Amino acid sequence: MGRVKTGGGWRAVLYTFKKAREAGGLWALWKAMRSKNACKTCAVGMGGQSGGMVNEAGHFPEVCKKSFQAMVADMQGAVKPTFFETYSVPQLRMFTPYQMEHSGRLVQPVVLEKGSQHYRPIDWADAMERIAKKLRATQPDQTFFYFSGRSSNEAGFLLQLFARLYGTNHVNNCSFYCHQASGVGLTSVIGSGAGTVKLDDMEHADMVFLLGGNPASNHPRLMRTLMMVRRRGGKVVSINPIIETGTVNFSVPSDPWALFFGAEIASTNVQPHVGGDLALLYGMMKRLLEMHRAQPRHAGSQQPGPQEADPIVDEEFLTQHCVGWSELAARLESLSWDEIVEKSGVSKPQIDDITAQYADSKRAIFAWTMGVTHQLHGAATVQAIAQLALMRRMVGKPGAGLQPIRGHSNIQGMGTVGVTPTLKKAIFDRLESHYGVKLPTTKGYDTLECLDAADEGAMRFALCLGGNLYGASPEASYAKRAMEKIDTVVYMSTSLNTGHAWGTGAEETIILPVLARDEEPEPSTQESMFSYIRLSDGGKPRHVGPRSEVEIIADLALRVLGDASSAGGTSPVDWREMSHTSTIREAIAKIVPGLEEIAAIDRTKKEFSIPGRAIDRPSFPTADGRAHLFVHDLPAVPEGMQLMTIRSEGQFNTVVYEEDDLYRNQTRRDIVLMHPDDIRQLGLTAGGTCRIASSVGEMRGQIVSAFDQIRPGNVAMYYPESNVLVPKAADPLSRTPAYKRIAVTVGSDADVVTLARPTPEVVGAGTPRDKMNACAG
């Protein structure tokens, strides 16, 4: 097969037929995809009451490979009855993420007991009573609850309510491993952790900055939006150490012209150092200020008519509606260009060029992914993105703004309904008032703090609502060690993942099989990254055995806490009624500000945007109504080879659907992507093997893959397998681990000399965490 030069296209069309065969035929896949349920994958969102493959603007078909992959995975057959007899836990640990995912749907509870090497099936009553008995015997602060973003708002709200009434605030979600830096950074500047734009705003922007992202692989439906930006004469600036094939050109399958002839996406590509984004952003801010000082009003190429042009830097806006402009301006003036260029890895002429393009823009949107947030200075970088937008008043007016490109389809919804260690005051107060209770006020741990406590022997119980906590965690040996010290680990899952093999408890590990979103017996809701609430109808279960997440949580809460009508029950919540999603939505509407309309959504079928999220006026949801600007130190120039972990075109988060990575022209996952110049310099051979070491781990037998699209001095490896090399050092503001910019040494696999292990970077640039307003990502 020749080198792939465009994303999407006829390969994507043919892939659809391949997945249809796996799903039992084209008609079976079509019916599943067109059902009135929100898409199961990324947070761009589609589906709901308009039917599958339709976005909130009504466009059809909205198609992407990720949605097909997730749907077909849920349509696979059941795990064979003899599977757990055949494969021991040591054998399961030899399975790849791909093999675990394709072992079949889980259809019965299983338990792994101390001293056994095999999971064994148990009935639902036994499984639920084991879990309830452990919780009744455990101090609440010795438990934690971890949520993925694939579950519904109803399941998330119900489980966090149970956890807090049980007595713990150790409630966290997978955003701490992805976009928590976005939530913290945005909240500290503009008062809200969500994006400030709607889908329509992005399609009509005249400029989109895409920082640290590869949406062609991870958010494919966003490619049509970016195509429309270019088609309307706008620009897309991609800032990424890798020039990704899909952001160069993408053949959108739903657009005939693009399908046949392709569509150029990025108008400009910029390749900074891994982690050089913060210095680059300061360079752009400095250059804007220089341009403004030289010529305050800039008549760019897009300024129509003779009217007076907008100011390059809107100092009136910055003075009246922001706090800290004078300090930021002084910092920009004091920075030298030598420092900016050295620390960003981007030349001054290129910084000048993209800044001039930005100065011409009337409606710019800044969008970013985990290439930004997976840094020790991730939250500080998000602050700088917001500040660059504010300098030209690109926040606080229609058609421009800030948009973190989130992963899971409902990860933003999880934060909205209270799945955070610290509840927002309004939700905390309303919960206490509505149920007439006193909630715990003890400190709630974030995800890493929960694992740290487990590693110290202070955790006795963990429940994971979806996800793969082990697989997503940094420093794999640490994650395994920490979870092995927890007495009981409970997973609620649709299929197997590496966490079920490696993230096992000391006494017992229980896996509860759950229904997929489009199999739920009652409607549920999800929130997209554009703050749009969708209603999913659910549907008919594909297998006998799995249960609804809400039903399981309500049953567990009743067994542990009882209710007012049960003997000895003290809970003010009628858990039997809360096993119905409509009852939960009525509670959410009364407790969560902005979600009042959700109470009747199953009757009205009216999906909605959360009010107040899109900021189109110069007023911000901060205590004083003004945006707050920050000053940062710039991270030092990285020394030696730097590793960035990446996801392939064939995976979604920790789930691997396909072993190949089509758009990067790779056919396997045990590889190290390296620039040909680095391969020669290190004396390696393309196609040969190497070993790679970080401060916390080493991997041997990795295939050297020549990849001229990556900036020299950097290497890339696939997540989650490469988490063996990722230290658990985290951004001090957001507590997000630094999965990017990991110092490594690379050598021949044949060498017997031990590789030197680099000293890890443990402190990120930015504002002290205790001065920040934390917000769920």
Side-chain angles (χ1 to χ4, degrees), residues 641 643 668-675 678-679 682-693 698-706 715-717 725 744-753 755:
M641 196 69 75
L643 165 68
R668 54 195 299 166
R669 295 180 60 84
D670 55 342
I671 61 174
V672 181
L673 298 176
M674 299 180 66
H675 194 278
D678 291 327
I679 294 175
L682 292 171
L684 301 174
T685 303
T689 59
C690 72
R691 55 176 172 160
I692 181 167
E698 180 177 283
M699 297 179 74
R700 304 195 66 133
Q702 301 301 294
I703 306 298
V704 177
S705 178
V715 298
M717 297 179 70
L725 303 170
V744 293
T745 52
V746 184
S748 170
D749 204 39
D751 291 343
V752 295
V753 179
L755 284 176

Side-chain angles (χ1 to χ4, degrees), residues 423-487:
L423 285 171
K424 294 179 180 177
K425 187 177 187 305
I427 297 178
F428 182 93
D429 291 344
R430 290 183 186 187
L431 277 171
E432 287 199 331
S433 174
H434 182 73
Y435 291 112
V437 297
K438 288 293 182 183
L439 297 177
T441 57
T442 52
K443 171 182 166 59
Y445 289 170
D446 61 47
T447 309
L448 274 181
E449 286 174 323
C450 287
L451 288 180
D452 284 342
D455 197 28
E456 294 166 3
M459 287 291 173
R460 305 265 68 84
F461 176 91
L463 189 152
C464 299
L465 178 60
N468 181 354
L469 177 56
Y470 162 81
S473 294
E475 198 170 332
S477 59
Y478 150 80
K480 174 180 179 291
R481 183 179 69 241
M483 298 195 74
E484 284 178 340
K485 296 179 182 179
I486 303 170
D487 291 347

Side-chain angles (χ1 to χ4, degrees), residues 155-330:
F157 178 84
L158 188 64
L159 185 54
Q160 69 84 26
L161 175 64
F162 164 55
R164 297 188 205 281
L165 293 180
Y166 170 65
T168 183
N169 283 321
H170 300 333
V171 172
N172 54 73
N173 63 62
C174 59
S175 73
F176 279 99
Y177 283 170
C178 54
H179 267 285
Q180 184 71 4
S182 295
V184 170
L186 287 176
T187 300
S188 63
V189 177
I190 62 172
S192 170
T196 68
V197 300
K198 297 181 180 179
L199 176 63
D200 188 63
D201 292 323
M202 184 170 284
E203 292 205 354
H204 290 86
D206 63 14
M207 188 167 206
V208 174
F209 283 93
L210 179 63
L211 295 97
N214 180 21
S217 289
N218 301 317
H219 305 82
R221 287 196 313 97
L222 200 58
M223 301 312 295
R224 182 183 178 276
T225 298
L226 296 174
M227 177 191 73
M228 294 307 296
V229 171
R230 295 300 313 279
R231 190 168 286 179
R232 292 186 174 109
K235 298 178 179 180
V236 175
V237 176
S238 176
I239 299 172
N240 192 331
I242 295 176
I243 297 178
E244 299 284 6
T245 297
T247 54
V248 173
N249 194 287
F250 199 88
S251 300
V252 179
S254 62
D255 184 271
W257 183 268
L259 178 60
F260 280 95
F261 302 107
E264 184 182 81
I265 302 300
S267 51
T268 304
N269 284 285
V270 181
Q271 287 184 281
H273 291 309
V274 174
D277 311 82
L278 183 58
L280 173 60
L281 292 163
Y282 264 79
M284 293 182 67
M285 287 189 282
K286 180 179 178 67
R287 181 57 186 154
L288 273 183
L289 192 57
E290 289 178 346
M291 293 171 67
H292 181 72
R293 296 284 189 254
Q295 182 183 351
R297 294 187 181 274
H298 175 62
S301 59
Q302 298 185 34
Q303 300 285 351
Q307 72 266 27
E308 186 177 39
D310 291 333
I312 294 176
V313 176
D314 196 333
E315 291 197 276
E316 181 179 350
F317 169 79
L318 291 167
T319 301
Q320 293 182 2
H321 298 286
C322 302
V323 176
W325 167 240
S326 59
E327 293 83 357
L328 178 57

Side-chain angles (χ1 to χ4, degrees), residues 46 109 150 220 257 324 435 554 564 612 619 645 764:
M46 68 174 179
R150 70 158 180 78
W257 183 268
Y435 291 112
S619 178
T645 65

Side-chain angles (χ1 to χ4, degrees), residues 11-268:
R11 287 184 177 88
V13 174
L14 293 174
Y15 185 80
T16 301
F17 288 98
K18 173 191 172 185
K19 301 310 285 185
R21 287 196 300 272
E22 294 176 16
L26 194 59
W27 178 241
L29 180 59
W30 172 263
K31 288 193 297 182
M33 292 298 300
R34 282 292 289 149
S35 66
K36 292 184 177 182
N37 291 285
C39 178
K40 301 173 183 179
T41 51
C42 82
V44 175
M46 68 174 179
Q49 292 307 291
S50 296
M53 299 185 286
V54 180
N55 68 14
E56 53 261 50
H59 182 266
F60 171 85
E62 290 285 303
V63 182
C64 83
K65 293 172 71 172
K66 288 288 182 290
S67 58
F68 287 138
Q69 290 166 345
M71 181 62 76
V72 173
D74 283 341
M75 296 173 74
Q76 67 180 313
V79 169
K80 294 180 180 179
T82 58
F83 180 88
F84 292 107
E85 294 177 15
T86 303
Y87 298 105
S88 66
V89 170
Q91 288 173 312
L92 290 176
R93 289 177 176 177
M94 300 298 291
F95 279 38
T96 65
Y98 172 87
Q99 291 169 328
M100 293 293 276
E101 171 63 27
H102 291 80
S103 295
R105 283 286 300 276
L106 293 163
V107 295
Q108 58 186 335
V110 293
V111 62
L112 174 67
E113 296 168 303
K114 183 178 181 179
S116 174
Q117 291 195 335
H118 287 262
Y119 280 97
R120 65 176 179 86
I122 55 176
D123 61 38
W124 273 101
D126 185 12
M128 296 302 292
E129 191 51 38
R130 283 170 179 257
I131 300 167
K133 181 179 179 181
K134 182 62 179 179
L135 282 170
R136 290 193 296 263
T138 304
Q139 291 295 317
D141 273 350
Q142 294 181 320
T143 69
F144 72 87
F145 297 79
Y146 173 81
F147 301 61
S148 88
R150 70 158 180 78
S151 297
S152 65
N153 290 321
E154 292 79 5
F157 178 84
L158 188 64
L159 185 54
Q160 69 84 26
L161 175 64
F162 164 55
R164 297 188 205 281
L165 293 180
Y166 170 65
T168 183
N169 283 321
H170 300 333
V171 172
N172 54 73
N173 63 62
C174 59
S175 73
F176 279 99
Y177 283 170
C178 54
H179 267 285
Q180 184 71 4
S182 295
V184 170
L186 287 176
T187 300
S188 63
V189 177
I190 62 172
S192 170
T196 68
V197 300
K198 297 181 180 179
L199 176 63
D200 188 63
D201 292 323
M202 184 170 284
E203 292 205 354
H204 290 86
D206 63 14
M207 188 167 206
V208 174
F209 283 93
L210 179 63
L211 295 97
N214 180 21
S217 289
N218 301 317
H219 305 82
R221 287 196 313 97
L222 200 58
M223 301 312 295
R224 182 183 178 276
T225 298
L226 296 174
M227 177 191 73
M228 294 307 296
V229 171
R230 295 300 313 279
R231 190 168 286 179
R232 292 186 174 109
K235 298 178 179 180
V236 175
V237 176
S238 176
I239 299 172
N240 192 331
I242 295 176
I243 297 178
E244 299 284 6
T245 297
T247 54
V248 173
N249 194 287
F250 199 88
S251 300
V252 179
S254 62
D255 184 271
W257 183 268
L259 178 60
F260 280 95
F261 302 107
E264 184 182 81
I265 302 300
S267 51
T268 304

